[in-house]
Amino acid sequence: MDRYTLETELRKGAEVVKRKGNKCLVIDPYNKVRDVDCKTEDVNRYTMEYLTKIESFAKKFDVLVFIVAHPTKMYRDKEGQIEEPTMYNIKGGGEWYDASYHGILVHRNYEEKTVKAKILKVKFQNLGENGAEAHFKWDAASGCFIPHHDLVKKDDPMPWE
């Protein structure tokens, strides 16, 4: 795991952008790609410094960066359902909300075998709508998400239409 540091990932990302013209970098999962140059013990400062380095990289190389960050342990509500996480459920959550331009939740309902994609944050309102959501079923045979129209009114267009 020592080779998976933020610095090495950004260095390799810059190389691929220059050599191949890539326009997207995915860091998945966030907690496995450590920022070893950060000397603070404070999780909020660490998170803000990490996100600042990502933002600088994205602007410098004109690249879209996705960071996959899983929530801390989620608990069940009174009905026994796993609560829907927010950006605040990620370690250093306040910084995630404050520093991110966008936040998208992907939440599974294991009992109904559905997946919800929900917009948690859009910094620039012309790029999306806070709270917009789409529902899917997972097709294991094809590996595709299939729109789940039972959860959407028949006449309403899907959010991307």
Side-chain angles (χ1 to χ4, degrees):
M1 293 305 292
D2 293 338
R3 65 185 183 156
Y4 295 108
T5 67
L6 180 60
E7 291 70 24
T8 58
E9 294 295 312
L10 294 181
R11 204 173 315 117
K12 190 62 165 177
E15 179 184 324
V16 173
V17 167
K18 290 175 188 174
R19 287 181 44 213
K20 305 264 185 194
N22 285 29
K23 298 307 267 173
C24 182
L25 173 69
V26 179
I27 297 176
D28 181 16
Y30 152 76
N31 63 322
K32 297 290 185 187
V33 181
R34 305 295 298 166
D35 182 1
V36 294
D37 289 346
C38 185
K39 302 299 182 217
T40 184
E41 296 293 321
D42 180 63
V43 70
N44 294 329
R45 283 190 179 158
Y46 172 87
T47 304
M48 185 54 81
E49 196 171 311
Y50 192 105
L51 294 174
T52 300
K53 288 179 182 179
I54 296 290
E55 181 181 12
S56 296
F57 173 85
K59 287 180 179 177
K60 180 177 180 179
F61 294 101
D62 191 28
V63 172
L64 176 64
V65 180
F66 288 94
I67 305 172
V68 178
H70 300 274
T72 58
K73 182 169 176 62
M74 297 303 297
Y75 298 98
R76 296 189 182 272
D77 61 16
K78 294 174 185 173
E79 289 83 40
Q81 298 291 319
I82 295 175
E83 294 177 1
E84 187 177 285
T86 69
M87 293 174 79
Y88 293 101
N89 294 111
I90 305 167
K91 192 172 188 178
E95 306 305 325
W96 282 99
Y97 191 85
D98 294 345
S100 297
Y101 285 74
H102 305 288
I104 302 172
L105 164 74
V106 178
H107 182 65
R108 274 190 274 182
N109 182 324
Y110 291 95
E111 293 172 10
E112 296 179 17
K113 297 185 171 123
T114 59
V115 176
K116 178 196 294 188
K118 181 178 180 180
I119 306 301
L120 297 177
K121 179 182 179 183
V122 178
K123 185 171 183 174
F124 304 108
Q125 297 303 309
N126 63 316
L127 297 177
E129 178 185 337
N130 286 321
E133 54 185 57
H135 300 266
F136 303 91
K137 283 208 175 256
W138 171 252
D139 180 34
S142 67
C144 294
F145 288 102
I146 310 299
H148 189 349
H149 294 287
D150 294 344
L151 298 174
V152 179
K153 294 177 186 168
K154 299 291 184 203
D155 298 332
D156 288 351
M158 296 304 286
W160 57 83
E161 295 179 321

